[in-house]
Amino acid sequence: GKVRAPTHIISTISDDRGEEPCYAGVPMSSIVEKGYGVGDVISLLWFKRSLPRYCTQFIEICIMLCADHGPCVSGAHNTIVTARAGKDLVSSLVSGLLTIGPRFGGAIDDAARYFKDAYDRGLTPYEFVEGMKKKGIRVAGIGHRIKNRDNKDKRVELLQRFARTHFPSVKYMEYAVQVETYTLSKANNLVLNVDGAIGSLFLDLLAGSGLFTKQEIDEIVEIGYLNGLFVLARSIGLIGHTFDQKRLKQPLYRHPWEDVLYTK
Ligand code: ACO
Ligand code: LMR
């Protein structure tokens, strides 16, 4: 019989050996002919399956809403400083991307993990939030630097409105809203933020679509796919900030002395 030479790499998401590349078995010509969008491509390459239109539309809305949030946020600030230091596009981009993490943009996976665990265990928002406090862990997906009860994040509202209209169930998101009601009773800025909205709603997308087994959902949450949405989205804005600084021929950035508290 045939002897298969051992391979050094296993890959299951795309194949470029034929006449045209295939994403999860779908040839590029079908992707173009069927008018697929970036949400479909993400579905194929990340989740290895085609998802219904409302899911791919939701993914695209996440990408559009998170593409940028002005020049003052951590990521854009780093990118701007790097571009102004004369560095190239990739260096400026990754310098901004490196700020994405537990405080900024990279709380989506933890929000999904904690909200899922708390909801599935039937914890009340009080039990969940106070339990986290006892462990000294901040609730991922809650809190914002400039948003608060009276100045809620419009992006969160837009995601919620879309999901309430199109998703078969929004139980995880409604749980996150109950958690927000409780945290807002503690402090004004402890709103459900865009990471928390995406984290909880993606749980609803995965569970409600009926296309993922329980084991697959657990694996997606455990591996942490969802911060990828923010990384991908914000790359659009960070690339824009790099071009902007270069177009404006901005000089080397030096932080003003007056804005530093020099102390011993
Ligand atoms: N859970 C519980 N308590 C909190 C939380 C939270 N998520 N956020 C703030 N607090 C409370 C704490 O008591 C904190 O005091 P501590 O420093 O002793 O823990 C107090 O509020 C003040 O916290 P600050 O750090 O001053 O609040 P700040 O406005 O700087 O923080 C931040 C904003 C970083 C977003 C914070 O709320 C947080 O860490 N949230 C969780 C991570 C998260 O979801 N990040 C994504 C934000 S959205 C985005 O980046 C696109
Ligand atoms: C963002 O999307 O970058 C923000 O929510 C963070 C911020 O501080 O505005």
Side-chain angles (χ1 to χ4, degrees), residues 102-105 107 138-139 141-143 145 189-190 193-195 230:
R103 294 184 188 166
F104 168 67
R138 287 188 182 190
V139 182
I142 292 286
R145 221 50 213 271
N189 73 326
L190 294 184
N193 61 41
V194 73
D195 283 15
F230 193 90

Side-chain angles (χ1 to χ4, degrees), residues 3-21:
V3 179
R4 188 178 288 276
T7 62
H8 295 95
I9 288 179
I10 304 174
S11 172
T12 68
I13 59 164
S14 68
D15 191 341
D16 62 318
R17 290 169 303 173
E19 232 178 39
E20 55 178 326

Side-chain angles (χ1 to χ4, degrees), residues 148-205:
N148 56 54
R149 187 204 314 271
D150 308 311
N151 171 32
K152 288 261 199 99
D153 192 330
K154 187 75 185 170
R155 297 170 296 179
V156 170
E157 195 190 308
L158 290 167
L159 289 166
Q160 289 174 328
R161 197 184 308 159
F162 180 86
R164 283 195 176 113
T165 313
H166 295 96
F167 283 25
S169 155
V170 286
K171 62 181 186 182
Y172 288 108
M173 187 268 275
E174 295 300 3
Y175 181 70
V177 170
Q178 287 172 30
V179 169
E180 177 191 46
T181 305
Y182 178 68
T183 53
L184 277 176
S185 73
K186 293 166 79 80
N188 212 20
N189 73 326
L190 294 184
V191 290
L192 180 66
N193 61 41
V194 73
D195 283 15
I198 295 176
S200 56
L201 279 169
F202 227 93
L203 292 173
D204 285 319
L205 183 153

Side-chain angles (χ1 to χ4, degrees), residues 114-144:
Y114 286 118
F115 286 140
K116 183 172 188 309
D117 179 68
Y119 178 88
D120 291 353
R121 286 199 292 133
L123 297 186
T124 63
Y126 169 85
E127 288 167 335
F128 169 49
V129 174
E130 294 305 324
M132 295 288 276
K133 192 174 173 191
K134 270 197 199 120
K135 287 185 230 154
I137 307 171
R138 287 188 182 190
V139 182
I142 292 286
H144 201 277

